[in-house]
Amino acid sequence: MTRRLSDMPNWTYLLQEFEALYRFGSAGGSKAIRSHRKRVREILAGIIDADPPLLDREPVSKPVVAHFGRAIDLGKRNVMANFSRALERLQEELTWEYGYVRVPKTLERKYAYCEVLGPKGPVKSDALILGFVLFAPNTTYPQHSHKGIEESYLSIAGAWSENDTAVYAPGSLILNKAEQEHRITTGETEPCLLAYAWIGPSERLASPGMTFSATRKPK
């Protein structure tokens, strides 16, 4: 028997937390960010209403998941507390992965991501990807971009910067337009947990072809 979203309340609650953040979270005074937030929440609301099937994905861990508990503890102390608790209830069901054919040795123990909604599931969608990325303390995530995919990050726990331009606190939303080069650096003593949303053509979401950029200098 195929399980559907409505059969698994914890997945529904997590998606509702995403929807609330993209509805009520910071717009940053930016028309581009407001437009992105609206698109994410409208697509997500339609997905929740459609009660999509849940795909069976085997839970997989990576070395950086050793920092997950600390990241959740930090998240429960700030404005992302409800979001952190909703994610914590699903921690044993998450599929952590790298997404790259080759991952630098220096990054193998310091980074991983998990998709919670998208073409691969567990909540099936061809129009939107939602997930989380976890970084160990003192990590530099190399410069990269996403062809045809617009991306936003929601900061859950830990301090981090993008392209060395600012330090973002929990609750911050950062938008990266398609093909926009970006590099992430985390704080020295605590892990960093980010939620993300990807919007783009279904064929790009199904096969994003993630690669690191040849140069470290942001455009």
mmCIF file of all heavy atoms in Angstrom, residues 113-134:
data_model
loop_
_atom_site.group_PDB
_atom_site.id
_atom_site.type_symbol
_atom_site.label_atom_id
_atom_site.label_comp_id
_atom_site.label_asym_id
_atom_site.label_seq_id
_atom_site.Cartn_x
_atom_site.Cartn_y
_atom_site.Cartn_z
ATOM 1 N N TYR A 113 24.041 16.952 2.889
ATOM 2 C CA TYR A 113 22.690 17.526 2.801
ATOM 3 C C TYR A 113 21.672 16.401 2.762
ATOM 4 O O TYR A 113 21.996 15.237 2.469
ATOM 5 C CB TYR A 113 22.542 18.416 1.559
ATOM 6 C CG TYR A 113 22.327 17.655 0.271
ATOM 7 C CD1 TYR A 113 21.042 17.394 -0.211
ATOM 8 C CD2 TYR A 113 23.406 17.180 -0.476
ATOM 9 C CE1 TYR A 113 20.852 16.689 -1.385
ATOM 10 C CE2 TYR A 113 23.220 16.486 -1.650
ATOM 11 C CZ TYR A 113 21.936 16.233 -2.105
ATOM 12 O OH TYR A 113 21.754 15.522 -3.261
ATOM 13 N N CYS A 114 20.431 16.728 3.074
ATOM 14 C CA CYS A 114 19.337 15.765 2.950
ATOM 15 C C CYS A 114 18.148 16.450 2.304
ATOM 16 O O CYS A 114 17.781 17.565 2.661
ATOM 17 C CB CYS A 114 18.959 15.160 4.301
ATOM 18 S SG CYS A 114 18.302 16.329 5.494
ATOM 19 N N GLU A 115 17.586 15.794 1.323
ATOM 20 C CA GLU A 115 16.390 16.286 0.635
ATOM 21 C C GLU A 115 15.173 15.721 1.353
ATOM 22 O O GLU A 115 15.123 14.529 1.659
ATOM 23 C CB GLU A 115 16.426 15.821 -0.821
ATOM 24 C CG GLU A 115 15.341 16.385 -1.708
ATOM 25 C CD GLU A 115 15.575 16.003 -3.166
ATOM 26 O OE1 GLU A 115 16.663 16.295 -3.688
ATOM 27 O OE2 GLU A 115 14.654 15.401 -3.773
ATOM 28 N N VAL A 116 14.181 16.563 1.631
ATOM 29 C CA VAL A 116 12.961 16.079 2.278
ATOM 30 C C VAL A 116 11.752 16.161 1.357
ATOM 31 O O VAL A 116 10.750 15.479 1.582
ATOM 32 C CB VAL A 116 12.680 16.841 3.598
ATOM 33 C CG1 VAL A 116 13.815 16.610 4.589
ATOM 34 C CG2 VAL A 116 12.466 18.325 3.368
ATOM 35 N N LEU A 117 11.850 16.985 0.316
ATOM 36 C CA LEU A 117 10.787 17.087 -0.681
ATOM 37 C C LEU A 117 11.453 17.332 -2.025
ATOM 38 O O LEU A 117 12.315 18.210 -2.142
ATOM 39 C CB LEU A 117 9.815 18.218 -0.336
ATOM 40 C CG LEU A 117 8.641 18.470 -1.292
ATOM 41 C CD1 LEU A 117 7.430 19.000 -0.518
ATOM 42 C CD2 LEU A 117 9.007 19.462 -2.396
ATOM 43 N N GLY A 118 11.066 16.554 -3.033
ATOM 44 C CA GLY A 118 11.672 16.736 -4.347
ATOM 45 C C GLY A 118 11.493 15.505 -5.219
ATOM 46 O O GLY A 118 10.750 14.575 -4.858
ATOM 47 N N PRO A 119 12.170 15.458 -6.355
ATOM 48 C CA PRO A 119 12.031 14.317 -7.260
ATOM 49 C C PRO A 119 12.404 12.982 -6.626
ATOM 50 O O PRO A 119 11.834 11.946 -6.954
ATOM 51 C CB PRO A 119 12.991 14.659 -8.406
ATOM 52 C CG PRO A 119 13.070 16.148 -8.392
ATOM 53 C CD PRO A 119 12.995 16.530 -6.943
ATOM 54 N N LYS A 120 13.383 13.008 -5.707
ATOM 55 C CA LYS A 120 13.811 11.769 -5.056
ATOM 56 C C LYS A 120 13.023 11.464 -3.789
ATOM 57 O O LYS A 120 13.198 10.410 -3.183
ATOM 58 C CB LYS A 120 15.307 11.854 -4.715
ATOM 59 C CG LYS A 120 16.211 11.936 -5.932
ATOM 60 C CD LYS A 120 17.672 11.871 -5.560
ATOM 61 C CE LYS A 120 18.115 13.071 -4.751
ATOM 62 N NZ LYS A 120 19.595 13.051 -4.493
ATOM 63 N N GLY A 121 12.183 12.404 -3.358
ATOM 64 C CA GLY A 121 11.412 12.208 -2.147
ATOM 65 C C GLY A 121 12.213 12.546 -0.908
ATOM 66 O O GLY A 121 13.221 13.239 -0.991
ATOM 67 N N PRO A 122 11.783 12.077 0.243
ATOM 68 C CA PRO A 122 10.667 11.159 0.441
ATOM 69 C C PRO A 122 9.293 11.729 0.105
ATOM 70 O O PRO A 122 8.391 10.978 -0.232
ATOM 71 C CB PRO A 122 10.774 10.787 1.916
ATOM 72 C CG PRO A 122 11.513 11.913 2.540
ATOM 73 C CD PRO A 122 12.470 12.400 1.502
ATOM 74 N N VAL A 123 9.100 13.048 0.234
ATOM 75 C CA VAL A 123 7.842 13.633 -0.242
ATOM 76 C C VAL A 123 8.050 13.987 -1.708
ATOM 77 O O VAL A 123 8.916 14.783 -2.045
ATOM 78 C CB VAL A 123 7.449 14.888 0.564
ATOM 79 C CG1 VAL A 123 6.103 15.413 0.085
ATOM 80 C CG2 VAL A 123 7.395 14.574 2.061
ATOM 81 N N LYS A 124 7.267 13.393 -2.588
ATOM 82 C CA LYS A 124 7.506 13.490 -4.024
ATOM 83 C C LYS A 124 7.024 14.818 -4.588
ATOM 84 O O LYS A 124 5.904 15.254 -4.346
ATOM 85 C CB LYS A 124 6.783 12.346 -4.752
ATOM 86 C CG LYS A 124 6.987 12.295 -6.249
ATOM 87 C CD LYS A 124 8.380 11.826 -6.604
ATOM 88 C CE LYS A 124 8.514 11.528 -8.104
ATOM 89 N NZ LYS A 124 8.375 12.717 -8.956
ATOM 90 N N SER A 125 7.916 15.478 -5.340
ATOM 91 C CA SER A 125 7.555 16.708 -6.052
ATOM 92 C C SER A 125 8.521 16.907 -7.206
ATOM 93 O O SER A 125 9.732 16.703 -7.055
ATOM 94 C CB SER A 125 7.620 17.930 -5.128
ATOM 95 O OG SER A 125 7.494 19.120 -5.881
ATOM 96 N N ASP A 126 7.997 17.320 -8.360
ATOM 97 C CA ASP A 126 8.831 17.647 -9.513
ATOM 98 C C ASP A 126 8.971 19.156 -9.702
ATOM 99 O O ASP A 126 9.674 19.599 -10.608
ATOM 100 C CB ASP A 126 8.239 17.034 -10.786
ATOM 101 C CG ASP A 126 8.216 15.518 -10.747
ATOM 102 O OD1 ASP A 126 9.197 14.931 -10.247
ATOM 103 O OD2 ASP A 126 7.213 14.920 -11.193
ATOM 104 N N ALA A 127 8.326 19.940 -8.838
ATOM 105 C CA ALA A 127 8.286 21.391 -9.032
ATOM 106 C C ALA A 127 9.087 22.166 -7.994
ATOM 107 O O ALA A 127 9.319 23.362 -8.155
ATOM 108 C CB ALA A 127 6.825 21.867 -8.990
ATOM 109 N N LEU A 128 9.521 21.503 -6.934
ATOM 110 C CA LEU A 128 10.179 22.184 -5.820
ATOM 111 C C LEU A 128 11.045 21.185 -5.068
ATOM 112 O O LEU A 128 10.678 20.008 -4.949
ATOM 113 C CB LEU A 128 9.120 22.767 -4.871
ATOM 114 C CG LEU A 128 9.579 23.427 -3.571
ATOM 115 C CD1 LEU A 128 10.327 24.725 -3.858
ATOM 116 C CD2 LEU A 128 8.378 23.692 -2.659
ATOM 117 N N ILE A 129 12.199 21.642 -4.607
ATOM 118 C CA ILE A 129 13.024 20.837 -3.704
ATOM 119 C C ILE A 129 13.190 21.593 -2.397
ATOM 120 O O ILE A 129 13.490 22.789 -2.393
ATOM 121 C CB ILE A 129 14.412 20.543 -4.309
ATOM 122 C CG1 ILE A 129 14.287 19.585 -5.502
ATOM 123 C CG2 ILE A 129 15.336 19.924 -3.258
ATOM 124 C CD1 ILE A 129 15.614 19.256 -6.169
ATOM 125 N N LEU A 130 12.975 20.895 -1.292
ATOM 126 C CA LEU A 130 13.242 21.414 0.042
ATOM 127 C C LEU A 130 14.189 20.451 0.741
ATOM 128 O O LEU A 130 14.080 19.231 0.581
ATOM 129 C CB LEU A 130 11.959 21.535 0.865
ATOM 130 C CG LEU A 130 10.854 22.454 0.338
ATOM 131 C CD1 LEU A 130 9.632 22.379 1.251
ATOM 132 C CD2 LEU A 130 11.335 23.888 0.204
ATOM 133 N N GLY A 131 15.098 21.002 1.509
ATOM 134 C CA GLY A 131 16.026 20.137 2.215
ATOM 135 C C GLY A 131 16.833 20.896 3.240
ATOM 136 O O GLY A 131 16.535 22.064 3.562
ATOM 137 N N PHE A 132 17.870 20.226 3.743
ATOM 138 C CA PHE A 132 18.732 20.794 4.775
ATOM 139 C C PHE A 132 20.182 20.489 4.438
ATOM 140 O O PHE A 132 20.497 19.437 3.878
ATOM 141 C CB PHE A 132 18.399 20.195 6.152
ATOM 142 C CG PHE A 132 16.996 20.460 6.595
ATOM 143 C CD1 PHE A 132 15.964 19.603 6.238
ATOM 144 C CD2 PHE A 132 16.692 21.578 7.350
ATOM 145 C CE1 PHE A 132 14.662 19.847 6.627
ATOM 146 C CE2 PHE A 132 15.388 21.843 7.746
ATOM 147 C CZ PHE A 132 14.371 20.981 7.381
ATOM 148 N N VAL A 133 21.057 21.408 4.797
ATOM 149 C CA VAL A 133 22.492 21.192 4.642
ATOM 150 C C VAL A 133 23.151 21.458 5.988
ATOM 151 O O VAL A 133 22.824 22.430 6.677
ATOM 152 C CB VAL A 133 23.083 22.062 3.516
ATOM 153 C CG1 VAL A 133 22.860 23.540 3.771
ATOM 154 C CG2 VAL A 133 24.563 21.774 3.324
ATOM 155 N N LEU A 134 24.044 20.547 6.377
ATOM 156 C CA LEU A 134 24.706 20.610 7.681
ATOM 157 C C LEU A 134 26.209 20.762 7.480
ATOM 158 O O LEU A 134 26.818 20.023 6.687
ATOM 159 C CB LEU A 134 24.414 19.335 8.471
ATOM 160 C CG LEU A 134 25.071 19.178 9.837
ATOM 161 C CD1 LEU A 134 24.606 20.251 10.808
ATOM 162 C CD2 LEU A 134 24.787 17.780 10.406
#
